[in-house]
Amino acid sequence: MEQASQPSNVNEKGPLLGGARQSKFAVFCGQHKLVLIPVTVMILLLPLLGLLALKKRHAHAMNFTSPVVYPSPQGYGAGNWSTAYQKAQSMVANMSFEEMNNVTMGVVDGSNGCVGVSGSAPRLGFPGYCLHDAGNGVRNTDGVNGYASGLHIGASWNATLAYERAQFMGAEFRRKGVNVALGPVVGPIGRIAEGGRNWEAFGADPYLDGILGAQSVIGLQESVIASVKHFVAYEQESNRNPIADSGNTILSTSANLDDQTMHELYLWPFQDLVYAGVGCVMCSYNRINSTYACENSKTINGLLKGELNFQGFVVSDWAGQHSGIPSADAGLDMAMPTTTYWNERQLEQAVNSGALNKTRLMDMATRIVATWYHLGQDQALALGAGMPPNLLLPHNYTDAKDPASKSSLLQQALEGHVLVKNLNGALPLDKPRVLSIFGYDATAQATYVPDGQLFPQSWEVIGLGLPQLEGIASNAPVPDPPEIQNGTLVVGGGSGSNTPAYISSPYDAIQARAYNDDTALFFDFTSTAPSVIASSDACLVFVNEYSSEVWDRPGLADSDSDLLVTNVASACNNTIVVIHSAGIRLVDAWINNPNVTAVLYAHLPGQDAGRAVAQILYGDVSPSGRLPYTVAKQASDFGTLLGPCQNQKNSLSPQCDFTEGTNVDYRSFLARNVTPRYEFGYGLTYTTFDYSGLEIAVNATVTPNATMVAPVYANGTTNDNSNNTNIVIGGQRSLFESVGTVRATISNTGKVAAAEVPQLYLQIPAKSSNSSNPTTRVLRGFQKVMVQPNETAQVSFNLRRKDVSTWDVVRQAWVVPSGKFQVFVGKSVLDTPLTGSFTT
């Protein structure tokens, strides 16, 4: 094998967004990233064309702190990838350099609705890939279901449900001719409370994201290739892309973080998903320690392909590539949706000139083809076969829905509802005589048809105006972004949205119950000061909090919705509030009002929203969700982690220092000793539970002085993983071995069958005290169990060596620290009736 050469320029750089031909950009970004309504197309393109005119110009940040790691580790067929690699290597050996170049890049294909199509090698039988959104269901087509969103599944705390959801979702992608489903999301992890894309991931904890994300990968990859995103430390929408500014260019925000924080927080869930066998990883828009994610050799070569021994391929987020040969050397394998850096045979020419080692180009093509074989895409339908490019034109209808998915769709919707307040048994409802319903969220949106470019993003009813559209088109901050959606909120906005087959609204479902119960209904879906019938047994108020890709949320509560709740509660002593929310929603304006008797976080349940909430309100099932984030008493309680890092000094290289380390969300509240309104893991049911019988059987060996270290890839490292039996896909084999279990007994002491979610937290001993950033308890286990009244259930939490380890930045290794590990088992991070310890 030819020795891989190290690029001559070892200083990583962040070139400006390269230009593209307008036709390609309009086709693809119009499909995936931009919103261009016909009336304003030319106006909106003007600022974007300003960026494109900067083609081939480079702009660099002043300080580059991300280490360089060359060469890129070559995939070799680790684990069960061996057969696929043998086939791929055979095919690639017969490819010309031009064909290898071709399979690494996105191409224009207007014959289908795929948001991305990769180049092919038809002479050898490789058709390329159809890549399509998203991790919450197939987007922008007909004949598919709208699944519960990632955050809703996170609120379910149900790994089995996550797997089942992904199974059905992946099958729909396959029936539509999709090869790569762009999901699941485990980044952003929810560093900031107002993060615009927090709803796409499962929750604000790496362990929760890792477990649910891994099950999602396994389920999806029974049918298609999963593309986990966004790698890595992508935590805000503000300044996520370069912005043209008075002849200069403002680079994407740089997420600046230390090695321990990277490993223990942001890389953590990605490792679990790589261990689960994910075939594709999408690099993100942001910079990491001043180097763009899609050309960051430390994160791609060093962490992902080296340390985690990832065998699949790395694809750029759409228009996330900012250099040619440097991005290839740094480990990027495929550029989407098109590329001006590789599209004119530049990789082939670089190999011929010696600027790019041919082993890197061969590895790029091999990884892409091996994943195609490994995950059965050599048996797939034609690219985008079931997705027409335009739903408004006549086309063959492909119904990808499986009737068997109906029960799962409803169960997903049910389990993500979190009851946080229920005074005097206000819920469940018991055949009310008179029921009043208020709020814009109670009924389905007024329109649900394709409308220019709005429909693909689920932006059709949020009232975007021309200034907002211009901001979106130019990557600039979006002025006055919407906080609510007119109609039942079932999914967030942007490329992570899905396309429901129907929308079941709360009012529709409650109306059906009223017919059976002879209940009189009164309603007002428009006023913030509605009239309230004095004879109402209960008043239901439905509000929502919207969130989307492209902008971060302007706040965590909107005044009009708060005013509506307050006004209804002033006239109704049994006011029940239901919030469909794409993230954290503060309730301080009215939560202490004694007339507000119950509050239900309904999150983003997908197309069965109404059907599900009605079953919970009427007690057909007990609510079983738990908060996958922390709800503060007031916005200021989030401190510096409330909103995005802003470019306060108007710098051309905006920086965001993650000085809080691993202490985000509940860890931040613990570290700062701030009491939340509702803590991480909190949620009520219609019954009560007792915890007893804590058993700790852990035998973890202290490793601070052990000689075996992680497969750390530094500059000049060669392909050592293939000869190391201690390394598996996902990294060091021993990290995934069990070191013991923690057990407990859960008893249902009430009168209603319900699911409980016992949670395990560990306080891992710190190597040294850090008063400014102290070590806190961390989630290390959860299990959802259904328990009948007066019955008990045994739960067992398996601990992996990874779960009891910390990252040693000096030794560059995971180590089990010596000392006493505190053990907490209970209903939430703050409600832990069972405590104990073990010593290493």
Side-chain angles (χ1 to χ4, degrees):
M1 180 180 297
E2 182 176 347
Q3 178 67 33
S5 62
Q6 180 176 323
S8 57
N9 182 5
V10 297
N11 293 316
E12 295 221 36
K13 300 178 180 179
L16 175 64
L17 171 66
R21 295 187 179 93
Q22 182 182 353
S23 60
K24 291 182 179 180
F25 195 91
V27 169
F28 284 94
C29 290
Q31 257 187 336
H32 192 70
K33 294 295 177 192
L34 299 180
V35 51
L36 304 170
I37 58 178
V39 177
T40 59
V41 167
M42 292 308 298
I43 296 175
L44 298 182
L45 280 178
L46 287 176
L48 191 57
L49 292 176
L51 275 179
L52 300 180
L54 297 172
K55 180 178 179 180
K56 303 303 182 186
R57 289 175 58 190
H58 289 183
H60 308 297
M62 291 180 291
N63 297 306
F64 295 95
T65 58
S66 185
V68 294
V69 179
Y70 298 117
S72 184
Q74 296 176 35
Y76 59 92
N80 60 354
W81 285 69
S82 58
T83 300
Y85 261 82
Q86 291 171 7
K87 293 179 179 179
Q89 288 164 348
S90 177
M91 178 185 289
V92 172
N94 290 309
M95 283 185 183
S96 65
F97 290 147
E98 179 184 3
E99 288 171 318
M100 294 181 203
N101 192 148
N102 197 47
V103 302
T104 68
M105 64 183 193
V107 297
V108 174
D109 184 351
S111 67
N112 57 59
C114 305
V115 298
V117 174
S118 72
S120 60
R123 180 178 65 88
L124 299 172
F126 179 67
Y129 284 124
C130 166
L131 303 92
H132 197 64
D133 298 315
N136 301 304
V138 186
R139 182 175 70 86
N140 192 25
T141 192
D142 50 14
V144 295
N145 287 309
Y147 290 82
S149 294
L151 184 72
H152 201 86
I153 298 302
S156 80
W157 291 65
N158 189 335
T160 301
L161 189 66
Y163 165 71
E164 184 181 90
R165 165 182 177 263
Q167 270 188 312
F168 285 116
M169 193 188 303
E172 289 187 17
F173 277 106
R174 189 176 183 93
R175 295 184 192 109
K176 285 292 185 177
V178 177
N179 307 107
V180 181
L182 300 176
V185 172
V186 293
I189 207 167
R191 174 181 181 265
I192 59 171
E194 294 176 348
R197 303 189 77 171
N198 290 353
W199 65 273
E200 295 183 41
F202 300 101
D205 179 82
Y207 183 90
L208 182 67
D209 276 5
I211 297 300
L212 298 179
Q215 290 303 307
S216 299
V217 164
I218 294 169
L220 282 168
Q221 292 194 160
E222 292 179 7
S223 299
V224 292
I225 300 164
S227 179
V228 58
K229 56 186 187 179
H230 305 85
F231 191 76
V232 58
Y234 171 56
E235 295 296 320
Q236 65 179 60
E237 295 303 281
S238 302
N239 287 99
R240 68 174 189 165
N241 277 322
I243 302 172
D245 181 53
S246 302
N248 295 312
T249 298
I250 301 172
L251 301 181
S252 299
T253 294
S254 176
N256 301 325
L257 65 160
D258 62 80
D259 194 34
Q260 183 176 7
T261 299
M262 173 65 81
H263 280 83
E264 295 185 9
L265 184 59
Y266 298 102
L267 186 65
W268 179 291
F270 284 97
Q271 181 173 35
D272 285 345
L273 274 62
V274 171
Y275 184 70
V278 71
C280 177
V281 171
M282 179 188 289
C283 52
S284 52
Y285 285 131
N286 56 294
R287 293 179 295 148
I288 305 152
N289 294 331
S290 293
T291 301
Y292 275 106
C294 290
E295 58 185 61
N296 193 306
S297 67
K298 171 60 179 179
T299 57
I300 301 178
N301 288 344
L303 298 180
L304 180 62
K305 291 182 175 180
E307 193 173 316
L308 303 190
N309 201 27
F310 174 61
Q311 298 296 298
F313 67 95
V314 175
V315 65
S316 72
D317 203 341
W318 269 229
Q321 182 191 32
H322 299 294
S323 66
I325 304 307
S327 64
D329 275 324
L332 182 65
D333 300 306
M334 182 184 290
M336 278 288 155
T338 57
T339 172
T340 57
Y341 296 109
W342 296 349
N343 68 321
E344 295 179 354
R345 301 169 66 171
Q346 291 99 321
L347 297 177
E348 173 193 3
Q349 294 166 7
V351 169
N352 289 333
S353 69
L356 177 70
N357 195 297
K358 73 176 183 180
T359 58
R360 174 77 271 258
L361 180 57
M362 293 178 68
D363 181 58
M364 295 164 74
T366 301
R367 285 175 175 272
I368 291 166
V369 175
T371 308
W372 182 70
Y373 277 125
H374 181 60
L375 293 169
Q377 298 311 298
D378 55 328
Q379 304 298 317
L381 298 176
L383 304 190
M387 294 193 302
N390 189 336
L391 292 175
L392 298 179
L393 298 178
H395 60 274
N396 292 325
Y397 175 73
T398 300
D399 190 352
K401 304 186 302 296
D402 183 349
S405 67
K406 287 185 175 181
S407 60
S408 179
L409 284 158
L410 178 57
Q411 193 65 25
Q412 294 164 35
L414 286 167
E415 292 198 28
H417 287 72
V418 182
L419 182 66
V420 296
K421 183 177 182 180
N422 192 22
L423 293 181
N424 302 319
L427 291 177
L429 301 173
D430 184 14
K431 294 186 177 181
R433 296 168 302 169
V434 179
L435 196 60
S436 294
I437 304 175
F438 305 105
Y440 55 89
D441 183 78
T443 58
Q445 57 200 58
T447 62
Y448 183 60
V449 291
D451 178 17
Q453 293 297 328
L454 297 179
F455 180 79
Q457 309 281 349
S458 287
W459 289 344
E460 66 272 17
V461 289
I462 55 173
L464 292 174
L466 183 58
Q468 295 163 330
L469 295 171
E470 289 177 331
I472 293 170
S474 62
N475 295 321
V478 177
D480 299 319
E483 295 183 74
I484 64 170
Q485 173 185 291
N486 290 313
T488 306
L489 184 63
V490 300
V491 68
S495 64
S497 62
N498 56 33
T499 309
Y502 56 82
I503 297 176
S504 170
S505 75
Y507 178 71
D508 291 339
I510 293 169
Q511 187 180 49
R513 301 296 291 248
Y515 176 82
N516 293 329
D517 294 347
D518 290 326
T519 300
L521 292 182
F522 295 90
F523 51 87
D524 183 340
F525 305 133
T526 60
S527 176
T528 56
S531 300
V532 179
I533 302 300
S535 58
S536 300
D537 293 316
C539 299
L540 303 178
V541 184
F542 290 88
V543 298
N544 65 50
E545 283 296 314
Y546 187 78
S547 186
S548 176
E549 179 185 9
V550 181
W551 61 86
D552 292 310
R553 296 169 61 189
L556 301 179
D558 68 285
S559 58
D560 284 345
S561 297
D562 283 343
L563 180 62
L564 169 63
V565 174
T566 301
N567 285 337
V568 172
S570 69
C572 181
N573 63 6
N574 189 20
T575 299
I576 297 166
V577 184
V578 178
I579 308 168
H580 284 110
S581 59
I584 299 166
R585 209 289 184 183
L586 301 186
V587 293
D588 295 84
W590 41 262
I591 192 64
N592 290 322
N593 188 323
N595 287 347
V596 176
T597 54
V599 178
L600 187 66
Y601 281 86
H603 292 117
L604 301 172
Q607 65 193 36
D608 276 333
R611 186 173 292 108
V613 77
Q615 288 196 16
I616 291 172
L617 291 173
Y618 282 86
D620 297 346
V621 297
S622 173
S624 65
R626 304 294 184 268
L627 291 175
Y629 50 72
T630 299
V631 178
K633 291 182 177 180
Q634 53 193 359
S636 60
D637 286 347
F638 287 102
T640 58
L641 299 183
L642 171 62
C645 297
Q646 301 292 350
N647 193 17
Q648 300 288 359
K649 298 180 180 179
N650 297 318
S651 168
L652 296 181
S653 179
Q655 306 291 314
C656 186
D657 297 332
F658 289 18
T659 54
E660 72 285 345
T662 60
N663 287 336
V664 303
D665 197 75
Y666 70 88
R667 292 194 242 187
S668 173
F669 280 75
L670 289 169
R672 294 180 294 118
N673 196 28
V674 176
T675 302
R677 173 70 63 190
Y678 300 117
E679 70 269 21
F680 179 83
Y682 177 78
L684 303 174
T685 69
Y686 292 154
T687 190
T688 55
F689 292 96
D690 278 350
Y691 283 61
S692 62
L694 180 66
E695 298 179 12
I696 302 171
V698 178
N699 184 20
T701 304
V702 177
T703 56
N705 298 315
T707 57
M708 186 174 64
V709 297
V712 175
Y713 269 64
N715 195 33
T717 304
T718 55
N719 298 302
D720 294 341
N721 283 353
S722 59
N723 298 318
N724 190 341
T725 58
N726 293 319
I727 305 305
V728 298
I729 294 173
Q732 196 171 345
R733 183 190 303 273
S734 62
L735 288 177
F736 302 96
E737 296 172 350
S738 176
V739 295
T741 58
V742 175
R743 297 183 176 88
T745 300
I746 314 300
S747 301
N748 185 338
T749 56
K751 299 179 180 179
V752 176
E756 176 68 330
V757 185
Q759 301 155 40
L760 167 67
Y761 296 86
L762 296 182
Q763 179 99 24
I764 300 174
K767 291 185 298 180
S768 60
S769 69
N770 185 346
S771 58
S772 63
N773 208 355
T775 300
T776 70
R777 66 184 68 174
V778 292
L779 180 70
R780 286 298 184 262
F782 62 90
Q783 187 175 339
K784 195 164 196 175
V785 290
M786 175 64 70
V787 189
Q788 297 297 319
N790 300 314
E791 292 190 0
T792 62
Q794 303 293 321
V795 295
S796 179
F797 307 103
N798 176 58
L799 285 172
R800 307 166 297 181
R801 182 167 281 104
K802 176 184 179 184
D803 299 328
V804 298
S805 298
T806 58
W807 180 256
D808 188 317
V809 297
V810 176
R811 297 184 59 248
Q812 289 292 284
W814 287 101
V815 299
V816 179
S818 61
K820 179 180 288 188
F821 286 68
Q822 299 291 337
V823 176
F824 307 86
V825 174
K827 304 175 182 181
S828 72
V829 68
L830 296 183
D831 185 1
T832 55
L834 302 181
T835 61
S837 65
F838 63 89
T839 303
T840 56

